[in-house]
Amino acid sequence: FGGLLDMITDRCSTLGLLYVLGNNTTSTTTTKAFRILYLALILLDISSHWCQMYSTTSLGSHHKSAESNQGRNILVRWYYQHYYFFGYLCTGAEFTYVFMYIRSNLLLLRNDDNDDDNNNVLLQVVEFLLLICLPGWFMKQIINVFQLTSACYAVAQYDADQRNRTAANKEEKEEEKDATSTSKKSK
């Protein structure tokens, strides 16, 4: 239950940040393009994590455990095995959204003919912090794509194995039934 709760709160916070970013500025062509990007990021984040959670839960393990990620993409395994890498990507992604929000509001203040030196210094600090976080954000999106594909493959493999077992069991039962009916006829 703890893993599921963690997953839900993480997805909700990311969704909330992206929703706020998408509604933060006036409606322009650029803003509309960013809204589509934010929607794509929301869909990627939710689907990749849901599939990861489903695929590992189907196998009866935790979504971050080494056993559940065995056979997955090497980046996904590395992501869950190395806590500092995991931490940088997660915090980098979330803080990228926070700093983008702050930056857009500082730019709006600057566009309102408010050429305050403190505002310009703060904008430079936020842009510097954004540059530190952006590589983590970018890598996190790559991990999300690999996580989605790895998890979907694992679910498909699990389903195929289940069907093969069911078919094999059905075939065995039919063979036993045929053998039993043949032995009864010979008596």
Side-chain angles (χ1 to χ4, degrees):
F1 179 73
L4 179 63
L5 184 60
D6 173 53
M7 185 72 72
I8 290 171
T9 56
D10 289 349
R11 302 298 60 81
C12 288
S13 65
T14 300
L15 181 119
L17 288 168
L18 286 167
Y19 179 81
V20 168
L21 273 174
N23 291 304
N24 191 37
T25 55
T26 58
S27 184
T28 64
T29 305
T30 306
T31 304
K32 288 178 184 176
F34 273 107
R35 285 182 180 157
I36 292 170
L37 172 67
Y38 298 149
L39 177 60
L41 291 170
I42 287 169
L43 294 173
L44 175 63
D45 189 64
I46 290 173
S47 63
S48 67
H49 287 84
W50 184 85
C51 285
Q52 172 73 4
M53 189 72 158
Y54 178 77
S55 69
T56 56
T57 304
S58 296
L59 301 172
S61 58
H62 191 274
H63 67 279
K64 293 179 184 176
S65 71
E67 305 84 48
S68 66
N69 289 307
Q70 202 170 23
R72 303 287 171 103
N73 180 281
I74 191 164
L75 286 175
V76 174
R77 289 192 316 254
W78 213 68
Y79 174 71
Y80 284 117
Q81 288 173 354
H82 299 285
Y83 186 73
Y84 292 114
F85 180 65
F86 174 83
Y88 170 65
L89 297 190
C90 290
T91 57
E94 298 300 311
F95 276 107
T96 293
Y97 301 139
V98 171
F99 291 138
M100 286 174 67
Y101 175 80
I102 294 169
R103 181 181 180 274
S104 69
N105 282 306
L106 289 173
L107 288 173
L108 285 174
L109 286 174
R110 192 157 104 185
N111 290 342
D112 290 341
D113 294 327
N114 187 1
D115 198 20
D116 183 11
D117 284 338
N118 290 334
N119 186 28
N120 290 332
V121 170
L122 186 56
L123 182 61
Q124 288 176 346
V125 169
V126 168
E127 287 177 343
F128 174 74
L129 293 171
L130 189 56
L131 285 175
I132 292 171
C133 293
L134 268 173
W137 169 84
F138 184 74
M139 192 66 187
K140 177 81 165 72
Q141 304 320 308
I142 291 171
I143 297 288
N144 283 348
V145 169
F146 285 125
Q147 181 173 268
L148 177 62
T149 57
S150 290
C152 287
Y153 179 80
V155 168
Q157 186 65 46
Y158 178 77
D159 286 348
D161 290 345
Q162 291 294 94
R163 283 191 179 190
N164 289 339
R165 273 191 224 113
T166 303
N169 288 342
K170 187 176 180 181
E171 195 173 291
E172 271 182 30
K173 287 180 182 179
E174 286 178 12
E175 287 174 3
E176 287 175 10
K177 185 179 175 183
D178 288 345
T180 306
S181 67
T182 304
S183 68
K184 284 182 181 179
K185 285 181 182 178
S186 62
K187 288 183 181 181

